[in-house]
Amino acid sequence: MYRVLLYDNPNRLNPKIVHEPYSYGEKIKESEVYLSLNGLGISTFEFTFNINNKYYQKIEPIINFIQIIDAVREQEIFYGRVAKITNTMDTSGSFSQSFLIEDEKAFLYDSVQTYMKPTRMPVRDYLQKIIDIHNKQVEPYKRFKLGNVDVIDNGDLLRGLGYQSTADTIKEKLLDRLGGTLTLRRVGNINYLDYLSNYGVNSETPLQLTKNLKSATRDIDISELFTRIVPVGQDIEDTSNTDIEVGTDFSRPKYTIEKVNGGKNYLDDEALIKKFGLNTGIVEFSNVKDPSILKRRGLQWLKDQSLMLVTWTVEAIELGLLDKRYELITLGNSYKVDNQFLYAVERLQVIEKKFSILAPQKVTLTIGSKKKK
């Protein structure tokens, strides 16, 4: 039972009801809520209503905001700004409007970072620097405070800034390199960004055949498996005075590990080679130029390497909406997936959740981000 509210201000004042879950009030006719932890973790809500809804042609992009409320538990499920509006007339002559709403982490696309020379600094200080630059460029309601940070460095890493959006900076400089999850947490009127190595809790609500599991697919992807790696570091500067015409097919030499690794530019995982054979990949540490540090980082990468990504795609019944003895399936929490005709019982994290507010008991889940060794 979900209610959809419209705000014409960023302060969440004076809401108007766009969709009422009970028999009375305004209605939408199509919807999909997409909650995600992938990448930057921007969640979305898409919905459509026709000309009979009294807010037809009265919603504007960017300056209007949409909220989804669980009407039974009185909890917020989603909040974000209107990002896109599509007006449609079909072949029968009926008119409708469709909307794409993006959550508040999309505000990170509204600012850009400025150049900062690579400097050694802890993860928390670096992320604080990024957020400070963002906050100086945007309106108060788009600003964030840094909350909990427990992601740690993976070695001697210099951290710099370039000319790109704040969102792309966080994704490329932190999430892609160090992993972890960037989450949004609202306390009072303040939005906090947490950067966590582990997010969610272990739930005792199972996803179980004959109980709440309608269909399931289990994929194993070993495309990221390397049994031999070639660590490469920062570009080596060209100190020659020779003028060289630089075309599109140009690359610079990089620092490698031959000097500290017996003349070999690669590192092996002997156990994996024995089992899977040779599969070589380049692993880049773009801010490292000391061969000893580069070798140490490469060995750590091999030690930490995850060999296969197990992902379940599941259609399930949201038992928590039908029976209060069960909790709602929550993004980021881990659940036991029990369909032993496909595989043994395993506990995995929900990284995506999709559902329609018109049929909220049916959910589609992507479960898996934990890589198996």
Side-chain angles (χ1 to χ4, degrees):
M1 303 290 282
Y2 294 115
R3 183 176 291 114
V4 180
L5 303 177
L6 166 68
Y7 297 88
D8 59 8
N9 63 86
N11 302 314
R12 306 192 185 202
L13 300 175
N14 305 316
K16 303 172 179 64
I17 299 176
V18 172
H19 174 79
E20 175 58 55
Y22 299 104
S23 59
Y24 55 89
E26 305 299 323
K27 298 289 183 289
I28 64 177
K29 66 175 187 176
E30 296 175 10
S31 77
E32 181 182 78
V33 182
Y34 170 64
L35 306 178
S36 175
L37 291 179
N38 283 326
L40 200 65
I42 295 177
S43 299
T44 60
F45 172 40
E46 296 182 71
F47 68 94
T48 300
F49 56 50
N50 59 30
I51 200 170
N52 295 324
N53 192 298
K54 77 181 199 178
Y55 295 105
Y56 183 83
Q57 297 284 43
K58 294 182 180 178
I59 298 178
E60 297 186 72
I62 303 300
I63 62 173
N64 283 171
F65 300 84
I66 295 291
Q67 184 181 40
I68 303 174
I69 297 291
D70 182 334
V72 176
R73 293 172 173 81
E74 297 185 348
Q75 295 176 347
E76 178 179 289
I77 302 298
F78 175 90
Y79 179 86
R81 65 181 175 186
V82 179
K84 180 180 178 182
I85 301 176
T86 303
N87 295 290
T88 303
M89 183 185 77
D90 62 24
T91 55
S92 68
S94 298
F95 296 89
S96 63
Q97 278 192 304
S98 299
F99 304 87
L100 171 64
I101 319 300
E102 56 188 11
D103 78 15
E104 292 171 292
K105 276 193 279 187
F107 295 158
L108 295 170
Y109 280 104
D110 293 355
S111 64
V112 296
Q113 296 294 302
T114 54
Y115 176 78
M116 181 184 76
K117 182 180 178 180
T119 306
R120 297 190 190 282
M121 62 173 63
V123 174
R124 183 182 183 88
D125 292 350
Y126 183 64
L127 184 52
Q128 183 67 68
K129 175 75 172 178
I130 292 171
I131 292 174
D132 289 344
I133 294 173
H134 164 81
N135 287 345
K136 290 177 181 178
Q137 299 176 47
V138 298
E139 301 94 322
Y141 72 89
K142 295 181 182 178
R143 295 171 187 167
F144 300 96
K145 282 195 174 182
L146 186 59
N148 301 315
V149 177
D150 64 9
V151 174
I152 60 173
D153 297 335
N154 58 2
D156 300 85
L157 186 61
L158 292 170
R159 308 188 191 283
L161 295 172
Y163 298 99
Q164 59 184 163
S165 73
T166 299
D168 289 337
T169 299
I170 293 174
K171 182 179 183 302
E172 294 179 17
K173 305 293 188 184
L174 290 172
L175 294 168
D176 290 350
R177 295 183 183 182
L178 302 180
T181 303
L182 187 73
T183 63
L184 180 66
R185 174 170 54 90
R186 188 171 180 84
V187 179
N189 294 321
I190 299 174
N191 283 334
Y192 288 88
L193 286 176
D194 296 330
Y195 185 30
L196 306 174
S197 56
N198 291 292
Y199 177 67
V201 299
N202 289 335
S203 172
E204 295 308 313
T205 297
L207 299 174
Q208 188 173 15
L209 190 66
T210 73
K211 192 168 190 177
N212 61 345
L213 198 60
K214 292 182 62 181
S215 68
T217 302
R218 185 178 188 270
D219 294 319
I220 301 176
D221 179 6
I222 60 170
S223 61
E224 297 180 35
L225 166 66
F226 294 131
T227 62
R228 170 178 288 175
I229 65 168
V230 179
V232 296
Q234 185 176 314
D235 289 349
I236 298 175
E237 295 182 9
D238 185 357
T239 58
S240 69
N241 295 320
T242 305
D243 291 332
I244 301 175
E245 183 177 351
V246 178
T248 57
D249 188 18
F250 175 80
S251 61
R252 293 183 181 275
K254 295 178 181 292
Y255 289 97
T256 54
I257 64 172
E258 289 94 332
K259 291 182 181 179
V260 295
N261 195 48
K264 296 184 292 186
N265 71 341
Y266 59 85
L267 300 170
D268 287 342
D269 188 318
E270 298 293 347
L272 292 183
I273 291 174
K274 183 176 180 181
K275 184 173 181 63
F276 296 110
L278 281 171
N279 183 12
T280 306
I282 299 289
V283 179
E284 186 170 354
F285 304 97
S286 59
N287 291 311
V288 177
K289 58 183 180 180
D290 184 319
S292 297
I293 295 175
L294 188 59
K295 181 179 179 180
R296 185 166 74 246
R297 294 281 301 279
L299 289 171
Q300 186 64 42
W301 191 96
L302 277 178
K303 181 180 177 181
D304 294 340
Q305 174 182 215
S306 299
L307 304 185
M308 60 185 69
L309 177 60
V310 179
T311 304
W312 288 79
T313 302
V314 169
E315 289 186 49
I317 300 297
E318 185 75 274
L319 292 179
L321 293 175
L322 307 174
D323 187 337
K324 288 189 176 181
R325 292 178 299 174
Y326 298 95
E327 63 182 49
L328 294 179
I329 298 171
T330 303
L331 190 72
N333 286 354
S334 297
Y335 298 85
K336 290 181 180 178
V337 184
D338 187 358
N339 186 337
Q340 297 188 47
F341 292 101
L342 294 181
Y343 197 72
V345 177
E346 58 183 339
R347 180 180 286 279
L348 294 170
Q349 184 185 40
V350 174
I351 57 174
E352 292 180 351
K353 179 179 178 179
K354 296 180 182 179
F355 62 93
S356 168
I357 65 168
L358 304 179
Q361 72 279 8
K362 300 176 183 179
V363 296
T364 300
L365 309 170
T366 301
I367 303 175
S369 72
K370 298 298 183 184
K371 294 183 179 181
K372 300 294 185 182
K373 290 189 180 292

